[in-house]
Amino acid sequence: MARTLLTDVLIRKLKAPAQGQVTYWDKTPGLVGFGMRISEGGRKSFVLMRGRERRRYTIGVYPDWSLATARAEAKRLGAELTLNAGSHSSLPFEDAVGLFISTHCRDLRSAHEHERLLRKHFVPVFGHRSLDRIKTEDISRILDAMGETPTLANNAFARIRTLFRWARRRRYITHSPCEGLQLPSRLEARSRVLSDDELTKVLTTATGNPFGTIVQLLILTGQRRSEISGLRWEYIDEQGRTITLPASLTKNKRIHTFPYGNMCAQVLSVVPKFNSGYLFPARGHLDTSYCGWSKGKSALDQASGVEGWTLHDLRRTFATNIAALAVPPHVTERLLNHVSGTVSGVAAIYNRHAYMGEMREALDAWERKVRSLIAS
């Protein structure tokens, strides 16, 4: 039986055996018994093998089922089978994470971040320990070890607390070990705005796809990092020079259409087009958007010499600069896709598609300043 890390590219290249069937078992961490079974007729099916009797469950046929959807279903089914094999309280933590991601987080924009934090910081410690055996002090010990990274500690705590609340609602546990715990750190609201010199250094050293390109687009458009990293080619109207973000990708769950200028168009023109549709797919996973933030940011800090800033600070820097260029507040809000502000109520409903010309003028003025910074 072959073992490999399944990818969309690999699946398309896999050939049918001369006779019989062959199964390629996936090496994705935390997903045991999942694979692709190919018959001599060329039929490709996603399967899950579980239990002492090695019972095989067919999940779905490729390409009707995508790799990402099949993996999610395998996690859900695996956790369900484990749960049915014993009492609720015996549900192992790692299986609970799989079931939580595939059900509660299935339609969340932050699903990948939920899974990443849970698997990186909690699964290695708790593993197959049953949910009811995880204590408050166990959670605290993990969070205390993140003392030097308060933002990370807060994000990790938010994810583990949500998981145990979900588990309690489902009666897998009677009490959450996170009850009574507070955020590990109280963080002050950020107000960091990059200076012209800092912005120039970041922009001129942010080269190379995908992280450098994402940073360039964040600077030029003022959008959120999750919105730019999750861009798909069908969201972009290259002829009309607009980008339309679907409600599923935006923070406020509202469709957001905004224009882009010549500098942005030049950046987009060199982005390679992958079969998955994502502009910035994750490395080795074309069906998932980019997620290598920590490594990319660290390299950029070192190359630019600018430290003590976050990618979200670029959005604040954008808003501050276009305000200095005399862009009206309601146009700034349109560009940033802010729900509340100067235009609200009935006016917001009837003006939903307005200000495209004003937004384009604002972005043109911003690009002129950016070009002057690079040239100076």
Side-chain angles (χ1 to χ4, degrees):
M1 295 185 183
R3 283 184 58 79
T4 186
L5 182 64
L6 292 178
T7 65
D8 287 294
V9 173
L10 176 62
I11 289 174
R12 286 194 293 270
K13 291 182 178 179
L14 291 177
K15 304 297 183 183
Q19 58 182 4
Q21 298 173 320
V22 61
T23 303
Y24 294 86
W25 299 107
D26 190 20
K27 295 170 64 175
T28 297
L31 188 54
V32 180
F34 172 71
M36 164 152 284
R37 192 174 182 87
I38 307 178
S39 64
E40 59 183 276
R43 180 185 176 91
K44 300 178 179 179
S45 303
F46 293 108
V47 297
L48 181 68
M49 188 83 75
R50 294 301 292 266
R52 293 181 179 178
E53 69 280 7
R54 304 294 292 166
R55 181 177 177 182
R56 186 178 72 251
Y57 299 85
T58 299
I59 293 175
V61 177
Y62 179 84
D64 294 341
W65 282 67
S66 69
L67 176 59
T69 304
R71 276 200 180 111
E73 175 61 14
K75 292 175 184 178
R76 186 204 65 76
L77 179 59
E80 182 180 285
L81 292 172
T82 301
L83 184 63
N84 292 338
S87 65
H88 282 180
S89 61
S90 67
L91 181 64
F93 179 81
E94 186 171 7
D95 288 346
V97 170
L99 187 57
F100 170 71
I101 296 299
S102 62
T103 56
H104 177 82
C105 301
R106 179 175 52 200
D107 299 321
L108 296 181
R109 185 169 52 92
S110 56
H112 177 80
E113 188 67 3
H114 272 79
E115 183 167 20
R116 185 186 73 82
L117 289 171
L118 290 171
R119 292 200 181 281
K120 181 176 181 179
H121 300 289
F122 298 101
V123 168
V125 178
F126 299 140
H128 294 289
R129 190 188 309 184
S130 59
L131 290 178
D132 64 328
R133 290 181 55 232
I134 298 174
K135 308 300 181 185
T136 301
E137 54 267 31
D138 299 326
I139 304 292
S140 297
R141 194 175 298 114
I142 295 174
L143 298 174
D144 289 345
M146 303 180 190
E148 295 185 0
T149 53
T151 300
L152 174 61
N154 285 353
N155 288 337
F157 172 68
R159 267 62 181 196
I160 193 69
R161 180 177 58 184
T162 302
L163 181 144
F164 277 108
R165 285 176 175 173
W166 165 86
R168 187 183 59 187
R169 288 195 301 270
R170 288 200 167 201
R171 305 296 189 267
Y172 300 155
I173 53 175
T174 58
H175 173 80
S176 167
C178 293
E179 287 182 14
L181 289 179
Q182 296 181 337
L183 280 175
S185 300
R186 292 295 179 183
L187 303 176
E188 295 182 1
R190 291 187 60 86
S191 58
R192 179 86 153 88
V193 174
L194 274 66
S195 67
D196 287 353
D197 181 59
E198 290 175 325
L199 189 64
T200 303
K201 289 178 179 178
V202 170
L203 182 59
T204 55
T205 53
T207 57
N209 196 58
F211 184 80
T213 306
I214 291 174
V215 170
Q216 292 176 20
L217 293 176
L218 291 176
I219 292 173
L220 294 172
T221 67
Q223 305 306 306
R224 296 179 176 87
R225 79 171 197 180
S226 59
E227 295 165 347
I228 294 300
S229 64
L231 281 177
R232 299 178 64 88
W233 287 109
E234 59 261 35
Y235 303 163
I236 301 174
D237 179 356
E238 295 180 83
Q239 190 171 28
R241 292 280 182 91
T242 63
I243 295 175
T244 298
L245 303 176
S248 60
L249 189 60
T250 62
K251 183 177 181 179
N252 58 24
K253 302 302 179 185
R254 293 162 67 103
I255 295 174
H256 178 38
T257 299
F258 60 94
Y260 61 87
N262 292 330
M263 288 186 71
C264 187
Q266 186 175 0
V267 173
L268 292 172
S269 68
V270 297
V271 176
K273 293 191 175 181
F274 300 95
N275 292 332
S276 68
Y278 282 111
L279 272 70
F280 311 109
R283 184 176 181 180
H285 297 278
L286 294 180
D287 56 348
T288 304
S289 61
Y290 179 80
C291 56
W293 303 109
S294 179
K295 185 177 179 180
K297 178 62 165 54
S298 178
L300 180 56
D301 286 350
Q302 186 174 5
S304 66
V306 182
E307 298 181 347
W309 63 284
T310 68
L311 291 178
H312 192 74
D313 291 337
L314 297 178
R315 181 172 166 87
R316 188 180 303 106
T317 301
F318 171 89
T320 301
N321 273 275
I322 63 172
L325 294 171
V327 174
H330 64 274
V331 177
T332 301
E333 289 173 355
R334 288 287 173 179
L335 284 168
L336 298 177
N337 194 24
H338 283 169
V339 175
S340 61
T342 56
V343 179
S344 58
V346 175
I349 297 174
Y350 286 103
N351 286 319
R352 187 165 296 166
H353 299 290
Y355 307 117
M356 187 62 67
E358 290 89 338
M359 285 192 289
R360 198 176 295 280
E361 289 177 3
L363 289 173
D364 287 343
W366 172 231
E367 287 197 355
R368 285 196 296 272
K369 174 173 180 177
V370 172
R371 280 193 294 268
S372 69
L373 290 177
I374 296 174
S376 60

